[in-house]
Amino acid sequence: MIIHLLRDSAALGELAARHVEVAMLETRDQVLGVATGSTPESTYAALSRRAARGTFRTDRLCVFALDEYIGLPRDHPQCYRKVLERSLSEPLGIEPSRIHVPTDDGGSRSASAAKFEEAIVEAGGVHVQILGIGRNGHIGFNEPGSDFHSTTRVVKLAESTRRANSRFFGSIEDVPPRAMSQGLATIMRSRRLMLMAVGAEKAEPIARALAGAVSPALPASVLQRHARLTVYLDRAAATRLDLDAIRSIATVHDWS
Ligand code: GLP
């Protein structure tokens, strides 16, 4: 595990974007896994600047999202496909057909989940997966209790997740109760993982995820088992980590 400590979200985004760009040079299949939420926005903005400068090539880039709400109209501004169009495909010039989102397409949900899993395999597997973390330790929409062997499926959102995400909606009642999410096994199959967190409310889940017991009670803790995990934290998100202790299992780079 490698941990980068950054001054703020902007510095985090710059470094993470540089690492995405370098990692994509290792692979012919340019498959990027992306998260929604506010944390990766600075990385997407930095990637857009790199694409505009011509250092980050997006002509073969293919993108897989972690999750999507169930029940939102396709043109709803909080529909994750729409969010990704605004923050990624438009600024990076990626055709919408190369953005894959696990979706309830009106037919059998297990069939569309299986189709999404197949599409990842057909694309060559995710090379770099960007991840945020929920306040309860969720990744994607894998809430506490999620099976480490889970693949893409319909999930029920925790009350606390709906409350946290209500800031993007009018009220908690407007946040859909269910979503389709990549599973923890799907995420763990990515060749490289980049976990990012910003702000004091992420300090506890980050400390538990990186240095606590590996348990479905805190889904992000499964990431300790990944051979190529890089973590990007601002100062506030790192405050609960025992940096001396974690140096025995991780390389820590302090840029803050
Ligand atoms: C949502 C998403 C997650 C994201 C999390 C944290 O629930 N499904 O993928 O990591 O929120 O979001 P934020 O970065 O806004 O704190």
Side-chain angles (χ1 to χ4, degrees), residues 108-120 151-153 180:
S108 146
R109 286 178 180 153
S110 56
S112 50
K115 215 165 89 191
F116 181 79
E117 290 277 334
E118 276 161 31
I120 298 178
T151 55
T152 304
R153 71 214 183 284
M180 190 176 285

Side-chain angles (χ1 to χ4, degrees), residues 142-211:
N142 293 283
E143 299 284 22
S146 294
D147 194 320
F148 284 175
H149 297 104
S150 55
T151 55
T152 304
R153 71 214 183 284
V154 173
V155 294
K156 191 171 173 296
L157 303 192
E159 187 70 8
S160 61
T161 299
R162 291 182 72 210
R163 203 173 318 116
N165 289 6
S166 67
R167 70 191 194 278
F168 299 117
F169 292 79
S171 71
I172 185 167
E173 287 76 36
D174 296 328
V175 184
R178 284 181 305 162
M180 190 176 285
S181 177
Q182 286 190 30
L184 294 172
T186 320
I187 292 169
M188 290 293 280
R189 281 199 289 266
S190 303
R191 290 191 283 278
R192 290 181 177 274
L193 297 179
M194 296 172 62
L195 172 67
M196 40 189 77
V198 170
E201 71 274 15
K202 300 295 172 65
E204 199 209 328
I206 279 292
R208 289 179 64 201
L210 304 185

Side-chain angles (χ1 to χ4, degrees), residues 34-40 66-67 69 80 130-135 138-143 157 161 165 167-168 181 196 198 201-202:
V34 297
T36 41
S38 26
T39 312
L66 284 173
D67 45 19
Y69 291 112
Y80 280 171
I130 293 173
L131 295 167
I133 185 168
R135 294 173 204 187
H138 73 231
I139 47 176
F141 270 135
N142 293 283
E143 299 284 22
L157 303 192
T161 299
N165 289 6
R167 70 191 194 278
F168 299 117
S181 177
M196 40 189 77
V198 170
E201 71 274 15
K202 300 295 172 65

